[in-house]
Amino acid sequence: MGLAKTEMFTDEQNEISLFAKVFGHPARVAILQYLFELDSCICGDLVNEIGLAQPTISQHLKELKQLGLIKGNVEGTSVCYCIDKDNWSSMKNIMIKFLDQDITNTDCC
């Protein structure tokens, strides 16, 4: 398997790629949607809400946290998760800029 050669691309291109990857799994999308529905932190068990095994949920939470879209705080023996509003806003701005591009030349292909 070849290297991704991410250093060949701009920081913005790499960032967009990471955001696209995190949205590439429906479980992560479901977790984000659930956190938005709650509009607060969740300290409880996401297993019942999402329907996946705890280790699988934990892996998805880890990926979301690594990218900075969620944050977690330890409270007793559990970790409470919520949307990181600043990072979410930054991600939205980057993605909107990318997705808001339009083709102006209608004479191609």
Side-chain angles (χ1 to χ4, degrees), residues 12 16 92-102:
E12 183 180 56
I16 290 168
K92 275 179 42 178
N93 289 334
I94 290 166
M95 294 303 286
I96 287 170
K97 179 181 169 188
F98 175 69
L99 294 172
D100 200 33
Q101 299 176 89
D102 289 317

Side-chain angles (χ1 to χ4, degrees), residues 14-68:
N14 281 297
E15 206 168 18
I16 290 168
S17 175
L18 289 173
F19 293 138
K21 180 183 175 188
V22 83
F23 292 124
H25 197 288
R28 291 188 288 269
V29 173
I31 290 168
L32 289 168
Q33 286 177 321
Y34 185 68
L35 290 172
F36 273 111
E37 285 174 22
L38 285 180
D39 197 23
S40 66
C41 291
I42 182 168
C43 298
D45 194 7
L46 280 169
V47 172
N48 294 331
E49 296 300 326
I50 306 300
L52 297 173
Q54 184 62 52
T56 305
I57 295 287
S58 294
Q59 183 61 38
H60 289 303
L61 288 168
K62 179 182 173 185
E63 290 189 40
L64 290 166
K65 190 173 180 190
Q66 281 178 331
L67 194 53

